[in-house]
Amino acid sequence: LSDRVGPEIGMDTIKIHITNFPKMEGDEDAVAFFGTGNQTVGQVVLSQQSVSGTELMIVTPEYRLTNGEPSKTVLVRLVPATRPEDRTVTFDYTYQAVNPALISLLPSSGCSEGGVRVQASIDYFPFPADGGVRVEFNGLELDISNVHVLDISDQLNTFLSFITPASGPAELPVKMTPRNCGNPCRHAIFFSFLHVDFSLPQLVSP
């Protein structure tokens, strides 16, 4: 059994070698339940099965932590389709809280007249962001039509873009949060965007 600790967003891989496990013809011949009940299910991938045992992988599902918990250990039940009453395998898995991190921002400056499309890449941002993403630019919430989450986003990486409004030349604060996040929101992202007045005289190389 490989390392049993991973992020709350899921998509971690647990590798397992089991002896005396019922014969599996495919991935669908076993189900991995995380926590109480049967609602949270991991993806089972059969690697190989031989007389020495069964080797498979489980891709962990998302398990969001609440109330500021830094981690939570849950019981995992690997239930075979055949003889589940006496061949079910159980073990503990620990989810750890993760905070979003801004990975890239392009561009990081633009014309103070606005209309600049900014692209951002964020790791561990809640996905999907139910209700969309709220962007506050210099304290002003952008219209939802000016904020777009790209289809290539997933639990690990969120890619989005927004269009800057007009504002005076300065280094301006920007805040991003899921629209359904409370206040304060532990998933908030903060950064600065530099507004430049291009109408001012500028030195250029001869």
Side-chain angles (χ1 to χ4, degrees):
L1 188 63
S2 63
D3 189 27
R4 290 171 288 168
V5 178
E8 61 178 315
I9 62 168
M11 299 185 71
D12 185 28
T13 301
I14 308 171
K15 296 181 180 180
I16 303 177
H17 182 96
I18 315 170
T19 58
N20 301 320
F21 199 68
K23 181 175 176 58
M24 295 178 61
E25 299 293 340
D27 302 343
E28 67 281 355
D29 289 335
V31 181
F33 298 106
F34 283 68
T36 58
N38 297 337
Q39 288 76 36
T40 308
V41 180
Q43 179 185 357
V44 176
V45 180
L46 177 63
S47 298
Q48 65 176 8
Q49 193 167 41
S50 64
V51 292
S52 63
T54 302
E55 293 184 11
L56 50 81
M57 295 187 301
I58 300 175
V59 180
T60 62
E62 181 180 24
Y63 199 102
R64 286 291 176 185
L65 304 184
T66 58
N67 302 321
E69 296 174 301
S71 64
K72 184 177 181 64
T73 299
V74 302
L75 180 69
V76 180
R77 293 174 292 124
L78 180 62
V79 183
T82 304
R83 297 180 62 179
E85 67 282 354
D86 64 352
R87 289 294 184 267
T88 292
V89 176
T90 62
F91 57 90
D92 288 336
Y93 183 84
T94 300
Y95 282 97
Q96 294 182 327
V98 290
N99 293 317
L102 181 66
I103 302 304
S104 66
L105 184 73
L106 293 173
S108 58
S109 63
C111 179
S112 59
E113 294 181 357
V116 178
R117 181 175 295 277
V118 180
Q119 295 183 323
S121 171
I122 307 172
D123 280 356
Y124 302 137
F125 198 70
F127 178 87
D130 295 333
V133 178
R134 177 183 289 108
V135 178
E136 296 180 16
F137 193 93
N138 196 28
L140 174 68
E141 181 178 339
L142 301 187
D143 188 87
I144 193 170
S145 64
N146 288 329
V147 181
H148 302 278
V149 179
L150 280 64
D151 292 339
I152 59 174
S153 300
D154 58 24
Q155 287 93 332
L156 291 178
N157 310 101
T158 296
F159 300 90
L160 59 86
S161 68
F162 65 90
I163 298 175
T164 62
S167 185
E171 190 168 359
L172 305 175
V174 183
K175 176 183 177 182
M176 292 181 178
T177 61
R179 285 189 170 273
N180 62 347
C181 197
N183 189 17
C185 176
R186 79 175 180 92
H187 301 297
I189 290 290
F190 300 90
F191 57 91
S192 296
F193 186 87
L194 180 62
H195 254 181
V196 180
D197 186 351
F198 290 123
S199 67
L200 295 176
Q202 300 181 46
L203 291 174
V204 296
S205 300

